[in-house]
Amino acid sequence: MDTPIHLTYMRRALALARRAEGRTSPNPIVGAVIVKGGRVVGEGYHRRAGEPHAEIEALRAAGESARGATMYVTLEPCAHHGRTPPCTEALIAARVAEVYYAVGDPNPRVNGQGHAQLEAAGVAVHRGLCEDEAREPNRPFFKHITTGQPFVIAKFAMSLDGKIATRTGDSRWITNEASRRRGHELRNITDAILVGAGTVLADDPQLTTRLTPLFRFCETGEGPGVRHPLRIVADSRGRVPLSARVFDPALAGQAVLATTAAAPPAHCAELAARGVEVWTLPADSQGRVSLPALLDEIGRCGMLTLLVEGGSELLGAFFAGNLVDRAWAFVAPLIIGGQEAPGPVGGPGVERLAQAIRLCRLQVEMLDGDLWVQADVV
């Protein structure tokens, strides 16, 4: 099944799927290619929720040529009515002869049913071609569909000696322009971004995606340009002032105050009047916004990915709660020093090395002298 020609077509479908990375929530990213007589006769990808699935795009492009053809699709075809009709019915109606799909769909409404429906209709079905390659970009979808929570990425920039600021709080800029651009590229494919009240009070960030308007997020140059994730401020007591730039109604995108019952009602009402959404959530044992409750709320909004950008106490709480799926670290060739200079992950930390959070699947890249490290939490 994994002959070079089959791999070529499935990898083409995977490349198509990535054109919509960060744009399809709460749906997965999916690409499809239809081949007949050794020639691609149709292809497509799912662009955003509510629009046709990849299989339908490919079938429309193929037309009558789909009859007797082979489809390569990155995810098991759906077998249920949602915002769009079942793809299995469309494939059967088009008389596609054979389907290769890379990975099964864990959605209980699919989860093997798409495979079974196609086989019952006489379609030859094969599962597992490029499975690992297909699973990786859809990990946020798989987590959301099984837990109801978003995939959490912890991002921080630090000096070589592990400092995110000097002892006086000076932090602009530790990393270089190339690293900062990569950070904005990550925002561009993320549904929501989160910071704590301390970060807003110290840095007054906008949390928007600052890329050129002509930026295209996929390597082919197609697809929509810059998008701005939902801006969330975790502020349990309503300390962040109305004048904070993150709450500016003139900024692109939507802002959210994630707070608790301890926040002054008048403060919340004033923010709501400015167009800021207010989520009043349970507090944890220390009076802070409950992070599991916050993740549940983000998941209920249909968001698959959350970027946590700080500060150190918020990142420390996420790591301590075992709530991080992936870490993005930008390391600059600087030595800041100082016992009072903060590190990226606060809180009490672990007592023994055996308790340290382990990372795996490291990827490392140089960005004009800075070091970029991406790793998954074990």
Side-chain angles (χ1 to χ4, degrees):
M1 183 178 72
D2 57 349
T3 59
I5 191 63
H6 290 311
L7 292 172
T8 296
Y9 293 135
M10 185 61 82
R11 285 172 178 156
R12 171 59 182 169
L14 287 166
L16 288 168
R18 283 192 176 273
R19 293 185 179 184
E21 188 173 7
R23 300 315 197 261
T24 62
S25 298
N27 292 352
I29 59 171
V30 184
V33 173
I34 298 177
V35 177
K36 188 173 185 179
R39 182 173 64 90
V40 174
V41 295
E43 59 181 30
Y45 63 98
H46 182 46
R47 298 171 186 270
R48 58 182 56 83
E51 295 194 7
H53 289 187
E55 298 93 322
I56 306 305
E57 291 276 358
L59 287 171
R60 289 175 178 175
E64 291 298 319
S65 296
R67 183 169 184 170
T70 299
M71 172 173 282
Y72 298 83
V73 60
T74 59
L75 187 71
E76 179 183 6
C78 66
H80 65 282
H81 285 271
R83 297 187 188 184
T84 58
C87 290
T88 50
E89 293 182 2
L91 290 167
I92 294 167
R95 298 191 180 183
V96 169
E98 193 170 20
V99 171
Y100 288 83
Y101 69 92
V103 63
D105 187 339
N107 186 336
R109 302 176 71 186
V110 185
N111 199 14
Q113 296 178 56
H115 186 126
Q117 284 188 15
L118 291 172
E119 277 195 335
V123 179
V125 186
H126 313 276
R127 171 181 173 164
L129 182 63
C130 298
E131 182 170 0
D132 290 342
E133 294 174 60
R135 186 178 300 279
E136 176 59 30
N138 269 322
R139 285 179 64 200
F141 169 73
F142 294 147
K143 181 184 179 184
H144 183 263
I145 205 69
T146 54
T147 70
Q149 294 186 345
F151 188 84
V152 177
I153 303 169
K155 172 186 169 290
F156 50 88
M158 66 183 188
S159 62
L160 189 60
D161 60 335
K163 306 296 185 181
I164 61 171
T166 69
R167 59 183 174 79
T168 63
D170 185 20
S171 62
R172 292 188 177 178
W173 297 102
I174 288 178
T175 53
N176 63 27
E177 185 176 343
S179 292
R180 297 196 296 274
R181 177 180 172 84
R182 180 60 58 85
H184 283 282
E185 290 172 355
L186 178 59
R187 288 182 183 181
N188 188 54
I189 57 171
T190 302
D191 291 326
I193 183 171
L194 173 68
V195 296
T199 293
V200 179
L201 292 171
D203 299 336
D204 197 21
Q206 295 183 43
L207 302 184
T208 54
T209 303
R210 292 185 292 283
L211 295 168
T212 169
L214 298 179
F215 175 80
R216 290 294 179 264
F217 66 91
C218 67
E219 61 186 13
T220 61
E222 299 179 17
V226 176
R227 63 89 60 94
H228 303 277
L230 183 73
R231 306 186 300 277
I232 307 174
V233 177
D235 181 10
S236 60
R237 302 192 303 277
R239 293 187 296 144
V240 176
L242 299 175
S243 59
R245 293 196 297 173
V246 69
F247 295 142
D248 186 347
L251 290 180
Q254 176 68 43
V256 168
L257 171 68
T259 190
T260 69
H267 178 74
C268 296
E270 287 188 65
L271 283 173
R274 291 166 60 94
V276 176
E277 289 187 35
V278 178
W279 297 347
T280 302
L281 301 170
D284 64 15
S285 59
Q286 299 180 51
R288 304 173 304 189
V289 173
S290 165
L291 297 183
L294 175 57
L295 293 179
D296 287 341
E297 186 64 28
I298 294 170
R300 276 192 290 271
C301 292
M303 297 186 179
L304 302 186
T305 48
L306 172 67
L307 178 61
V308 183
E309 288 208 0
S312 65
E313 290 305 308
L314 183 64
L315 283 169
F318 265 92
F319 278 109
N322 209 17
L323 300 173
V324 177
D325 298 295
R326 178 171 293 162
W328 277 54
F330 295 89
V331 185
L334 305 173
I335 301 295
I336 293 177
Q339 292 183 347
E340 296 180 6
V345 180
V350 301
E351 295 181 355
R352 300 187 305 276
L353 281 178
Q355 299 171 315
I357 295 169
R358 301 290 175 176
L359 304 177
C360 63
R361 290 155 43 103
L362 270 68
Q363 299 178 50
V364 181
E365 182 180 340
M366 294 298 296
L367 297 172
D368 289 351
D370 286 354
L371 188 66
W372 168 78
V373 181
Q374 178 183 215
D376 291 337
V377 175
V378 174

